[in-house]
Amino acid sequence: LDNLIILAKTRFPSQTIIFNNDLKEPFKLKGVVTELESIIDTLIINCCEANEISGSQLLNISIYSKNKGIYIELIDHGNGIAEEILDKMFKPHNTNKTNGAGMGLFIANRLVKGRYQGSIKLSNTSEINSNENERNADKGTITKLYLQHRKDS
């Protein structure tokens, strides 16, 4: 994860990326390193691009353990995702960008579910704030990647 954050800082030099590692102990994932890196890199790129569109420069990334797995949570401060396309974000060729094929989240989600028995969830930060009965003008998206711990044989 550290290498992916360094790479993102190189590609998006105007972004401030804050990384919070809340893991109490090392974790093991059974999988292909390049696939896992590609999944996480796709999520980081989407967040940084959303920030650039909105003019924001802050991306928060946290990693923590819960429910026999790990979560990587990314919070951007972009414009959020329009409600009418939120449920379509994991379908192929779905994009709201001028450059892009709309395949990044589709492929990442397919890999996470099919090969790693995990999930990717997207929500707008405004949804979270309104659910807590707080009104916050801050917009953005929370991306949660869940991956199961490796079961040693």
Side-chain angles (χ1 to χ4, degrees):
L1 196 54
D2 291 332
N3 290 339
L4 293 174
I5 292 171
I6 291 168
L7 181 60
K9 287 180 178 182
T10 303
R11 283 187 284 193
F12 300 95
S14 67
Q15 296 291 302
T16 300
I17 301 174
I18 298 171
F19 177 57
N20 186 20
N21 184 344
D22 287 332
L23 292 175
K24 306 294 184 234
E25 57 191 47
F27 64 93
K28 293 180 182 179
L29 292 174
K30 187 175 184 179
V32 180
V33 172
T34 54
E35 283 180 351
L36 292 165
E37 288 176 341
S38 177
I39 291 163
I40 296 166
D41 192 45
T42 295
L43 302 179
I44 292 172
I45 289 170
N46 282 356
C47 290
C48 288
E49 288 177 348
N51 276 347
E52 286 187 337
I53 291 168
S54 74
S56 175
Q57 298 176 339
L58 180 62
L59 172 61
N60 296 85
I61 302 174
S62 298
I63 185 168
Y64 56 92
S65 182
K66 183 178 175 183
N67 299 332
K68 298 182 182 176
I70 62 154
Y71 284 88
I72 300 174
E73 182 176 276
L74 302 93
I75 303 174
D76 69 52
H77 298 272
N79 294 323
I81 302 170
E83 291 299 320
E84 57 271 11
I85 65 166
L86 192 56
D87 61 341
K88 299 174 188 166
M89 292 304 294
F90 298 111
K91 295 191 189 278
H93 307 293
N94 182 37
T95 185
N96 58 357
K97 300 176 192 174
T98 54
N99 296 326
M103 295 297 291
L105 284 176
F106 169 72
I107 293 169
N109 191 52
R110 193 166 179 172
L111 282 170
V112 167
K113 283 183 172 183
R115 295 188 40 110
Y116 299 101
Q117 293 72 51
S119 63
I120 301 174
K121 305 282 186 204
L122 301 172
S123 60
N124 287 314
T125 55
S126 58
E127 288 175 14
I128 302 302
N129 292 334
S130 64
N131 287 342
E132 295 172 0
N133 295 322
E134 292 179 24
R135 280 288 164 206
N136 187 342
D138 190 27
K139 294 180 182 178
T141 302
I142 299 173
T143 304
K144 280 190 182 183
L145 169 63
Y146 170 75
L147 299 167
Q148 290 184 3
H149 277 289
R150 178 179 150 183
K151 295 181 175 109
D152 291 324
S153 20

